[in-house]
Amino acid sequence: MSNVAVADASPGMRSLIRPMGSFHPVDGDGWLVNDTRADHVPVALRDRLIDFFDDCFGAALVAVYVRGSVARGTAVAGVSDLDAFAVVADGTEPVCPHLPSDTLAQFQASAPGLIDFELNVCRRDDVVRNYFSTWAFLVKTQSARIHGEDLAAGLQPYRVGPHLMAEAMYLPLRMRDYAARIASDNSPAQATATCQWMMKAVVRAAFDLTMDRAGLYTRDLYPCWQTFSQFYPTRADDCERALRWAIAPDHNTTAHRALVDDFATWIGQEGVRLVQAHGIDLSRYEL
């Protein structure tokens, strides 16, 4: 067991952990099946997203995708958030402008059950050039196109296995970003937001360590924790702490940092061991 000093789980915090989420479907040969659909996204929300990205990029806008629980039709009111991204023409700066407060209010009105809205941008080349690009993987396996070019049609499928351990591979980079964030702005509101972002990454990276044996894929937090606990029972409590903070973040940066320094560092080390064991070439991967 870990010797990190963190707060014990209270009954109230434990009750926040509910058996929600699922694994992505696979076909008979083990290839991931994209079970998202554009019609799962409310029409008003689709229109708002397309209008926002069109205002930002105009003729350079190639496509708009929604991923995650909203696109799968499994969003839970008061729990789920929106993950959407624009694909823009090569040569365009892939930077998502700040979401104005009035636009955010419009998003919230069109999807009142969602608790947060995360918008991102990538170039078309980021999707189609490299099979090992995170963007290619997201488009092919877990995103619904709501506007523009169907980029998924030209991408190769993905089979579940250790080569999909992107969250574990990138965790050391996120740890450095995490340290920079809490150093630059540690106000209670920002510390709480950073806590949730980092703890989601930790839980998903922990699950990645099991993909060589579990033969499953998910980004949903509960099945990530549950599966990790089966394969790594001696670190299950650490993953549960990360899960609780991902669900109900707070601004206790000292406790968060202790868990990250110990548990996330261990995940990174175990990830390196698995990468070496499976002969994975990290130079091919792009975040």
Side-chain angles (χ1 to χ4, degrees), residues 38-74:
D39 60 8
H40 284 315
V41 185
V43 173
L45 180 58
R46 273 187 269 166
D47 291 343
R48 294 293 184 193
L49 285 167
I50 294 168
D51 288 346
F52 173 73
F53 285 125
D54 186 60
D55 289 344
C56 294
F57 301 106
L61 182 63
V62 172
V64 179
Y65 285 87
V66 175
R67 67 184 182 91
S69 60
V70 172
R72 298 179 76 191
T74 59

Side-chain angles (χ1 to χ4, degrees), residues 157-179:
Y158 292 83
R159 192 192 299 271
V160 177
H163 61 287
L164 297 186
M165 295 192 303
E167 293 288 344
M169 294 176 190
Y170 297 135
L171 189 59
L173 294 177
R174 290 195 171 96
M175 290 174 65
R176 289 195 286 273
D177 192 10
Y178 169 74

Side-chain angles (χ1 to χ4, degrees), residues 46-111:
R46 273 187 269 166
D47 291 343
R48 294 293 184 193
L49 285 167
I50 294 168
D51 288 346
F52 173 73
F53 285 125
D54 186 60
D55 289 344
C56 294
F57 301 106
L61 182 63
V62 172
V64 179
Y65 285 87
V66 175
R67 67 184 182 91
S69 60
V70 172
R72 298 179 76 191
T74 59
V76 178
V79 175
S80 300
D81 53 17
L82 173 77
D83 291 300
F85 61 95
V87 181
V88 296
D90 298 335
T92 305
E93 187 67 21
V95 176
C96 190
H98 177 70
L99 196 63
S101 57
D102 59 338
T103 303
L104 176 59
Q106 292 172 355
F107 280 139
Q108 292 169 331
S110 62

Side-chain angles (χ1 to χ4, degrees), residues 20-41:
M20 298 168 51
S22 61
F23 295 101
H24 282 241
V26 296
D27 66 17
D29 296 318
W31 300 102
L32 281 170
V33 176
N34 188 337
D35 63 345
T36 63
R37 295 199 332 238
D39 60 8
H40 284 315
V41 185

Side-chain angles (χ1 to χ4, degrees), residues 9-20 78-79 196 221-222 225 240-241 243-250:
S10 67
M13 286 295 289
R14 284 188 178 275
S15 68
L16 292 172
I17 300 177
R18 292 180 284 166
M20 298 168 51
V79 175
Q196 185 168 54
L221 298 177
Y222 180 87
W225 163 68
E240 182 185 344
R241 292 185 184 103
L243 175 63
R244 292 200 312 272
W245 274 321
I247 297 170
D250 58 40

